[in-house]
Amino acid sequence: MTATGCDRKAGGVGESPHDDIEQVLISGESIQERLSALAEEINRDYAGRELLLVGVLKGAFILMADLARRLQIPVEFDFMAVSSYGSATQTSGVVRIIKDLDLDIADRHVLLVEDIVDSGLTVNYLLRNLRARGPASVEIMALLSKPDQIRVELPIRYHGFAVPNVFVVGYGLDYEEQYRNLPYVGTLRDAVYGSARPRP
Ligand code: IMP
């Protein structure tokens, strides 16, 4: 899909959009196709090595599960949960770790898996935090990014889709903890927000 367009594969079989969805931007089918291609790259890049996938909760849980089942290399999993100071829909760049890793990542190959890079401040913070723990390598995977919003230079090694500067839900992403389970990524109707529509 293009950064501004609607996914032509949207609304396919079994995917009639949720009533609150205004527009499906990326269909479930497109996400799965892209994930297969990214998993192939990861399998190739890490051949002969062990990989530790670090998912950023909660948004990355679906992405982690779908990606994991496509990996053929030896892989372990860990998760971090962070909270960003600021409003629910706008990050301030100051990040607090709510749940830290269970595993020691020293000398390990780490792939940080994030649902969406908006300003990039959260991933930038996590990248610096993980690098300080002495891993053999750290790379970033982000399913989505908002190129118009990014405020820091980020080396995103595995990237799914660019989305326009709008608030999106689905495939792990929530609005007030809802819509994470939608298999596609889309925008919400105005009525869902009442008077509190998140800023683009
Ligand atoms: P960043 O620090 O500005 O890159 O923000 C990253 C975090 O903000 C993501 O992990 C999401 O939790 C949240 N976020 C940013 N944009 C959206 C969106 O469009 N929908 C849902 N959550 C978002």
Side-chain angles (χ1 to χ4, degrees), residues 15 36 75 80 85-86 89 95-96 112 119 166 180 184 190 197 200:
E15 248 191 55
S36 293
V75 63
M80 289 179 90
Y85 293 100
T89 53
V95 173
R96 184 163 57 101
L112 182 64
S119 67
V166 289
R180 291 190 196 277
Y184 47 81
D190 279 344
R197 188 178 183 99

Side-chain angles (χ1 to χ4, degrees), residues 50-117:
E50 286 186 10
L51 181 61
L52 176 65
L53 288 186
V54 172
V56 185
L57 294 172
K58 299 175 190 174
F61 79 109
I62 289 182
L63 172 60
M64 282 279 271
D66 280 349
L67 174 69
R69 285 174 287 184
R70 290 171 161 88
L71 295 180
Q72 277 124 34
I73 49 173
V75 63
E76 292 181 21
F77 304 89
D78 208 341
F79 293 90
M80 289 179 90
V82 295
S83 103
S84 157
Y85 293 100
S87 71
T89 53
Q90 190 156 20
T91 185
S92 65
V94 182
V95 173
R96 184 163 57 101
I97 294 178
I98 299 171
K99 184 220 167 290
D100 205 349
L101 296 175
D102 294 327
L103 303 173
D104 180 1
I105 64 166
D107 302 322
R108 312 261 338 237
H109 294 288
V110 175
L111 179 57
L112 182 64
V113 180
E114 173 68 305
D115 48 7
I116 187 164
V117 169

